[in-house]
Amino acid sequence: MPLFDKKDKSRYTTFTRRSLGMGGAMTLVFGVLAGRLYQLQIRDGDQYMTEAEDNRINERLLAPPRGRIFDRFGVEMANNRRNYRVLLVAEQATDGVEEALDTIGKVIALTDAQKKRVLATLAQNKKFVPVPVAENLSWEEFSRINMHLPYLPGVQPDVGETRDYPFNDELVHILGYVAAVSPEDKKNDHDPLLDIPGYRIGKRGIERQYDSVLRGTGGASRVEVNAYGRVIRELGHEAGVPGQDIWLTIDREVQQFVAQRLGNESAACIVTDVATGDIIAMASTPGYDPNLFNVGISPDQWRGLTEDDHKPLLNKVMDGVYPPGSTFKPVVALAAVEAGLATPEYRVSCNGSTTLGNHTFHCWKKGGHGTLDLEGGLKNSCDVFFYETARRLGIDKIQEVALKIGMGAPTGIELPGEKSGFIPSRAWKQKRYGVAWQQGDTMSCGIGQGYVTTTPLQMALEVSRIASGRNISPRLVHMVGGEPTRREAAAPLDLLPESLARVREGMNQVANVPGGTAYAFRIQEPGFEMAGKTGTAQVRAYSAEEHLHGVTKNAALDWKLRDHGLFIAFAPVAQPKYACACIVEHGSDGHPQVLMARDILLFTQKRDPLGMPAAYPIKAASLPGSPVR
Amino acid sequence: MISRPYAAAKRTLGIADKLMDVNWGLVLLITIIAAGGIAMLYSVAGGQFHPWALSQLSKFLVGLVILVVAASIDVRVWMSLAYPAYGVALLLLIAVDVAGHVGLGAQRWIMLGPIELQPSELMKISLVLALARFLHGKSVEDVSKPLNLAIGLVMIGIPALFVVIEPNLGTTLIILADGCSLLFLAGLSWYWITPALAAVATAVPLAWRFVLHDYQKARVMTFLNPESDALGAGWNITQAKIAIGSGGLSGKGFLNGTQSRLNFLPEKQTDFIFTNIGEEFGFVGSVALLILFAVVIFYGIQIATGARSQFSRLLAMGITLNFFFYIMINGLMVMGLIPVVGIPMPLLSYGGTAMLTVMFGFGLLMSVHVHRQVEIPRHSGGII
């Protein structure tokens, strides 16, 4: 029986030939695999080694504690408190992040908006980066999360730090607030701290201006992590530098009084030390709670703030620009004495109006004030007196003194976004409107209307400089990180002592001589008397009808159409120490701004913060950075 | 012809003879590779026998027993069992599609009591057996006859169809490759092969359009540009390349691989086990492993060409090629040369079915070797 017949023979040779051929092909494939290994391990090995290390080693930033902000006596106005929060690591959430959020929502309250925000943040970060889900939890909520932890994969309870403003809205326009980092912030600031999910930076006020000082420098911990971001061990540690503390010139007690005294009016008020320009209190009302922005403001709350016609977000002290009205008259008076126009014998006669060409300029008092000297012009706030004086002086001299007194340019206060106000000049008008400066323009400026605008802060600077005769500028920050901000004693103003003395006397008469515009609101306690200057800023043009029959009373007008009430004052009259500028937007009749300033100046003098020793500098607490994962 | 082929055998062997005749060199080689795999499982578990290394060791030992038992069973018995095995495997395959357990998004397992069975793995071996059986009696001319070719292709096509709808693209490819290789080795004419290759070349774009599942397409797309989705589907490929590449020339050392230990590699204990070898033992270790594999394949070819019956030759070569295709597809996959398909590395990857079927395959190979002198008449149907 032929087992290896011919056919089988040919099959065998075919099989063997083809098997060996396939063996060759298989060898080729092994060659390809080996070649690929060469490529990966020998040629590109270094690069992959680096990538493996990048995978393995995580530079975890340690956020340093933010510097605190104190008042001049060491009261903490911005500090850090424990922040119980819940973090979520996407990769560890085995059932998916949405499921995880739903489960968390069963343990603590989570709104849909919060969930949406968390999902968006998760999408922006790598899967192993913990993202805050809820912050500022109560101890009870935090314990509940910890208790349910076994059923919450990917959830990490964490104790971080968060900014706290214990006095809420009282200081918001000075301190500003911290809030979450926006993409725009990252464009200009490449500090790696900003990449920490949940990190907060200063957005307004001192928090923003001194952000780099308060922020400190991030520490770093080099840790080995697994693919889920879980730390296996620490490889190295680099301590950060805590943020430096800041001491302000503010006296929190006075600040509180001011804020309460302004109440719900749309108002601004500044109290200064006339000798140094240090700001003792500075409030703009209504304010808002800075903690809202730190915790996260709801759309409703935000709409409430932006749509309020009292403009709570606006710091009216330096961002509000107003015509100074009659509070500008002391500047014109100074210019008049400087120019040699207003000699002691200088008189202007007021019969209720004055004319220029065919235009009539009315005095606020129908029937006029009669013949007045400079002090009398100030005391009565006579419009005709200042129309006439300004006309004779010309705009150039008024402009020169206004600039010397601190108007028309930012005061340089240590806050972001200060407005400069405006003092017009001939050249400006020619350039701006292509029309020559008119005498009528000068006359309008003479009573603080027309093109002149100032901020309440500039008005405070004006009255402080008049009161002290020194070329002071405002200051808010007293010490940074225990080091006093050095400042040279202010030089005397480039004005004649005589002009300052006569203007001060005029302002004294305003408050302390019967018939003065603020006499009814004077401080009666001996030794505490104030000098001042009232003002009204029109927000609408008076009609010819009103000029004939008297201006419509404010009370009869819509709130938005009422005049702004302004007042600048210093006290005590004999030895000026404190100055105050106060504005009430669309204030009602009865001069609320004068009453406020009077009460505030009296309170300040009685408390006398300048007579008390300022706080001994406390060294910035050198706490270790809290790890932020 | 003779209806009792067993009687026609040139000689019969006692069990002791058979054990003496087992190619113990090859068994040693297999054991070395498997031991390396167990060491790797120990490493990826962070230096612990639990949960994979110990379990894999026991599976290997069971596999070793299966190998020796299969080797000592007469190759003609296997020949007789070829068609029944094919039938059973096909039934199980259909069962898995009907009542299968959904794992990893694909229907691949069936529970037989406590045993989780992957019928597609069984099918690979059964198909090799059945095709070898079918082609055993066919001369070179016979193979190229349309009817025979059609039968052969149907035998390949039916299981391929059931595996592809599971869906399990990797195993489908291996089944097709195994089957077509056997037709080729049996002497299929180039007049068939050349146009078939041309047809496949044109079919690929059509398959892309109509056959592939979305997840399969996504894998291909991710493969072509892994960085496009470095944290999602591209993660495996990117991390596998990093693991292998970071091993460099001599590797980071045993137990020092960071990629797998720190879980940057999903499936590190199964399909991606090779990356850990690359990472811990570098180019030297990886190439050494490839050489060991190549030697196993060399043994396989040697056994195949040394057998006296066409069934034995085709069976041995089919088993060898099956082993090779596993290595090729897994190797190309973990090195980022082809898209990710779920194919384990034989002898190394953790998993019971794969280990047992691979060892059973080697058992059949060894049976061919032990019974290499056995001649089987062309028209024999086996022993039973």
Side-chain angles (χ1 to χ4, degrees):
Chain A
M1 187 174 48
L3 287 171
F4 263 35
D5 57 17
K6 250 192 179 156
K7 280 186 172 173
D8 205 48
K9 192 82 179 167
S10 80
R11 285 204 309 186
Y12 180 69
T13 46
T14 303
F15 177 85
T16 308
R17 197 175 59 238
R18 289 191 174 183
S19 292
L20 294 178
M22 290 189 100
M26 289 190 262
T27 313
L28 213 65
V29 170
F30 277 105
V32 168
L33 291 179
R36 177 63 170 172
L37 284 172
Y38 175 83
Q39 205 179 36
L40 290 175
Q41 299 187 300
I42 309 292
R43 198 193 65 187
D44 301 333
D46 291 345
Q47 180 205 326
Y48 285 116
M49 189 71 212
T50 314
E51 286 186 36
E53 289 293 286
D54 282 352
N55 264 348
R56 178 174 80 93
I57 294 167
N58 210 336
E59 286 264 333
R60 285 146 40 91
L61 277 173
L62 304 175
R66 196 173 171 86
R68 293 163 297 175
I69 305 175
F70 298 98
D71 87 340
R72 68 192 299 138
F73 299 120
V75 175
E76 280 187 4
M77 300 188 294
N79 55 23
N80 308 306
R81 64 177 166 76
R82 278 170 164 254
N83 172 15
Y84 297 108
R85 54 186 195 158
V86 176
L87 307 174
L88 181 64
V89 184
E91 201 146 65
Q92 291 172 22
T94 42
D95 303 331
V97 287
E98 284 173 43
E99 180 75 15
L101 287 179
D102 286 344
T103 321
I104 297 171
K106 285 174 192 159
V107 182
I108 55 169
L110 270 190
T111 64
D112 285 346
Q114 269 176 302
K115 286 183 192 173
K116 219 181 259 177
R117 186 175 50 78
V118 174
L119 288 174
T121 319
L122 283 166
Q124 285 164 9
N125 283 287
K126 288 191 175 164
K127 281 179 171 181
F128 57 79
V129 175
V131 162
V133 174
E135 303 197 62
N136 303 301
L137 298 175
S138 69
W139 174 246
E140 198 213 326
E141 289 173 311
F142 192 62
S143 321
R144 238 179 312 164
I145 286 283
N146 277 294
M147 202 171 73
H148 288 92
L149 216 49
Y151 315 105
L152 297 168
V155 170
Q156 292 181 353
D158 182 75
V159 185
E161 269 191 348
T162 191
R163 201 60 158 167
D164 191 38
Y165 304 100
F167 301 112
N168 298 332
D169 60 349
E170 192 183 296
L171 290 136
V172 66
H173 291 296
I174 300 170
L175 302 180
Y177 55 80
V178 294
V181 180
S182 72
E184 285 76 46
D185 296 330
K186 287 190 193 176
K187 268 182 212 152
N188 307 319
D189 188 342
H190 302 292
D191 189 339
L193 284 174
L194 301 199
D195 293 326
I196 299 176
Y199 193 74
R200 303 282 197 271
I201 60 167
K203 293 282 189 165
R204 285 189 190 214
I206 292 287
E207 292 276 29
R208 166 147 168 213
Q209 188 82 356
Y210 286 86
D211 194 54
S212 56
V213 175
L214 292 163
R215 191 189 291 176
T217 311
S221 165
R222 272 166 59 86
V223 289
E224 185 179 73
V225 293
N226 67 11
Y228 312 124
R230 175 164 295 160
V231 178
I232 308 297
R233 63 196 160 117
E234 188 170 58
L235 304 170
H237 186 93
E238 189 188 317
V241 181
Q244 292 182 306
D245 292 339
I246 286 180
W247 281 261
L248 301 186
T249 56
I250 297 291
D251 177 1
R252 219 284 298 176
E253 292 282 328
V254 178
Q255 178 73 21
Q256 181 185 30
F257 183 84
V258 171
Q260 284 174 357
R261 190 61 188 79
L262 299 189
N264 293 325
E265 295 277 9
S266 178
C269 180
I270 309 101
V271 179
T272 60
D273 171 354
V274 297
T276 61
D278 284 0
I279 291 170
I280 291 161
M282 188 175 113
S284 170
T285 56
Y288 55 95
D289 186 352
N291 294 303
L292 278 183
F293 287 85
N294 183 16
V295 175
I297 189 164
S298 75
D300 277 351
Q301 288 168 323
W302 174 250
R303 213 174 312 119
L305 289 178
T306 49
E307 287 176 3
D308 188 335
D309 62 2
H310 284 42
K311 297 185 284 277
L313 291 172
L314 185 76
N315 183 5
K316 298 177 185 95
V317 166
M318 49 174 233
D319 299 334
V321 176
Y322 308 91
S326 300
T327 60
F328 191 64
K329 286 172 182 167
V331 175
V332 180
L334 279 173
V337 185
E338 287 291 309
L341 173 66
T343 58
E345 291 76 34
Y346 175 74
R347 297 289 183 277
V348 171
S349 174
C350 168
N351 57 13
S353 68
T354 182
T355 54
L356 179 76
N358 53 11
H359 187 84
T360 306
F361 291 86
H362 293 274
C363 188
W364 63 271
K365 187 175 183 183
K366 264 188 97 178
H369 292 96
T371 302
L372 297 168
D373 62 0
L374 184 80
E375 290 81 357
L378 285 168
K379 173 191 164 195
N380 293 294
S381 197
C382 174
D383 290 339
V384 168
F385 181 94
F386 284 97
Y387 284 138
E388 191 57 27
T389 305
R391 191 182 62 75
R392 290 198 215 168
L393 272 172
I395 188 65
D396 298 341
K397 293 202 167 94
I398 297 174
Q399 184 207 7
E400 189 193 330
V401 172
L403 294 180
K404 280 183 187 172
I405 216 78
M407 291 177 163
T411 63
I413 190 170
E414 307 99 311
L415 287 175
E418 183 193 3
K419 293 280 197 313
S420 71
F422 190 68
I423 299 296
S425 68
R426 284 175 202 281
W428 166 80
K429 192 180 177 195
Q430 187 67 49
K431 193 160 173 256
R432 178 82 166 74
Y433 295 104
V435 183
W437 184 266
Q438 303 292 317
Q439 269 197 337
D441 296 330
T442 311
M443 291 167 73
S444 290
C445 291
I447 61 160
Q449 298 281 354
Y451 299 117
V452 183
T453 55
T454 64
T455 63
L457 182 61
Q458 285 172 335
M459 287 163 24
L461 187 60
E462 170 200 357
V463 66
S464 302
R465 285 183 176 180
I466 289 171
S468 69
R470 292 193 169 273
N471 192 24
I472 52 149
S473 44
R475 189 177 75 143
L476 202 49
V477 175
H478 174 54
M479 246 182 327
V480 174
E483 289 291 314
T485 53
R486 286 182 193 284
R487 227 160 70 140
E488 281 150 35
L493 275 174
D494 182 20
L495 293 171
L496 298 171
E498 186 210 343
S499 12
L500 290 163
R502 289 191 61 194
V503 169
R504 282 198 288 261
E505 174 50 28
M507 290 174 72
N508 174 37
Q509 292 186 16
V510 168
N512 299 316
V513 171
T517 52
Y519 180 73
F521 314 109
R522 69 191 182 280
I523 294 175
Q524 299 192 16
E525 285 184 53
F528 294 113
E529 295 91 342
M530 69 173 179
K533 182 69 198 77
T534 55
T536 303
Q538 275 174 244
V539 294
R540 64 190 177 100
Y542 294 153
S543 64
E545 172 73 7
E546 285 179 303
H547 282 306
L548 279 177
H549 302 293
V551 174
T552 312
K553 289 284 183 198
N554 269 324
L557 285 167
D558 276 352
W559 182 77
K560 288 288 267 184
L561 295 176
R562 293 178 197 167
D563 298 333
H564 297 321
L566 300 85
F567 190 60
I568 55 175
F570 60 84
V573 169
Q575 287 288 319
K577 206 167 180 182
Y578 300 102
C580 176
C582 192
I583 176 168
V584 175
E585 281 192 346
H586 314 295
S588 51
D589 279 334
H591 304 287
Q593 77 280 8
V594 183
L595 285 164
M596 287 173 188
R598 180 196 69 184
D599 295 348
I600 289 164
L601 273 176
L602 185 59
F603 177 87
T604 310
Q605 290 183 84
K606 286 191 166 168
R607 176 170 159 78
D608 196 18
L610 296 179
M612 295 155 70
Y616 185 80
I618 305 156
K619 280 280 173 209
S622 43
L623 298 165
S626 67
V628 176
R629 271 159 278 148
Chain B
M1 289 295 292
I2 297 152
S3 59
R4 300 268 327 273
Y6 195 66
K10 232 178 183 175
R11 59 179 178 137
T12 52
L13 297 167
I15 187 73
D17 295 331
K18 286 183 178 184
L19 288 181
M20 285 295 285
D21 219 7
V22 164
N23 189 334
W24 290 109
L26 179 55
V27 173
L28 181 67
L29 202 55
I30 290 167
T31 309
I32 289 171
I33 295 172
I38 291 164
M40 284 302 102
L41 291 175
Y42 175 80
S43 169
V44 296
Q48 292 191 338
F49 285 106
H50 188 77
W52 302 305
L54 212 54
S55 159
Q56 182 83 340
L57 177 64
S58 66
K59 280 165 189 153
F60 174 71
L61 292 176
V62 171
L64 214 50
V65 172
I66 290 176
L67 187 153
V68 175
V69 170
S72 51
I73 291 173
D74 195 295
V75 74
R76 284 162 295 187
V77 176
W78 292 123
M79 191 172 174
S80 320
L81 290 173
Y83 289 148
Y86 179 82
V88 169
L90 199 57
L91 285 175
L92 288 172
L93 210 49
I94 294 166
V96 90
D97 283 338
V98 175
H101 156 80
V102 177
L104 287 175
Q107 248 169 265
R108 292 177 184 178
W109 286 271
I110 191 164
M111 297 302 292
L112 273 187
I115 305 161
E116 212 172 55
L117 197 70
Q118 222 172 326
S120 57
E121 292 291 321
L122 283 182
M123 195 64 223
K124 280 178 242 175
I125 303 279
S126 308
L127 177 69
V128 169
L129 274 168
L131 270 180
R133 166 87 168 82
F134 173 67
L135 295 168
H136 168 71
K138 306 289 179 286
S139 69
V140 173
E141 293 76 29
D142 291 341
V143 174
S144 297
K145 283 179 183 160
L147 179 65
N148 288 330
L149 180 58
I151 294 171
L153 287 177
V154 167
M155 287 172 72
I156 301 165
I158 290 173
L161 193 68
F162 282 111
V163 174
V164 82
I165 62 173
E166 265 181 10
N168 186 344
L169 187 62
T171 304
T172 310
L173 288 174
I174 289 187
I175 285 174
L176 291 175
D178 284 349
C180 295
S181 301
L182 287 181
L183 290 175
F184 173 71
L185 289 166
L188 187 63
S189 163
W190 287 103
Y191 292 109
W192 285 112
I193 298 169
T194 316
L197 289 176
V200 168
T202 52
V204 167
L206 292 174
W208 173 261
R209 183 87 173 76
F210 298 111
V211 180
L212 290 189
H213 280 256
D214 283 346
Y215 87 98
Q216 289 164 332
K217 287 185 193 176
R219 278 182 184 175
V220 175
M221 293 315 290
T222 313
F223 163 73
L224 294 174
N225 186 12
E227 281 72 28
S228 70
D229 189 15
L231 290 177
W235 173 265
N236 286 12
I237 296 173
T238 310
Q239 295 301 330
K241 284 183 355 190
I242 291 174
I244 296 173
S246 64
L249 178 65
S250 55
K252 298 175 185 169
F254 186 51
L255 299 181
N256 287 330
T258 55
Q259 284 288 103
S260 46
R261 192 163 52 80
L262 299 173
N263 284 323
F264 286 98
L265 275 168
E267 309 287 328
K268 65 201 172 184
Q269 80 280 16
T270 56
D271 294 357
F272 284 87
I273 189 75
F274 184 81
T275 58
N276 199 45
I277 296 165
E279 190 180 13
E280 297 193 348
F281 297 107
F283 183 69
V284 174
S286 314
V287 170
L289 177 70
L290 289 183
I291 290 171
L292 289 179
F293 276 140
V295 173
V296 171
I297 287 162
F298 170 77
Y299 267 114
I301 296 173
Q302 202 189 30
I303 290 169
T305 52
R308 301 200 65 169
S309 71
Q310 183 74 345
F311 171 76
S312 301
R313 290 180 212 142
L314 289 173
L315 175 60
M317 201 58 196
I319 297 294
T320 307
L321 281 165
N322 184 44
F323 183 68
F324 167 77
F325 288 133
Y326 270 106
I327 297 166
M328 177 176 91
I329 292 178
N330 183 274
L332 292 174
M333 171 181 98
V334 300
M335 294 180 206
L337 289 172
I338 59 164
V340 174
V341 287
I343 292 296
M345 188 58 112
L347 296 174
L348 300 180
S349 289
Y350 177 78
T353 318
M355 173 62 89
L356 296 182
T357 46
V358 164
M359 292 301 276
F360 177 57
F362 282 123
L364 293 177
L365 184 67
M366 210 58 82
S367 171
V368 170
H369 176 72
V370 171
H371 304 94
R372 60 190 174 279
Q373 297 300 336
V374 172
E375 289 174 3
I376 309 171
R378 275 187 49 196
H379 300 289
S380 164
I383 288 175
I384 302 161

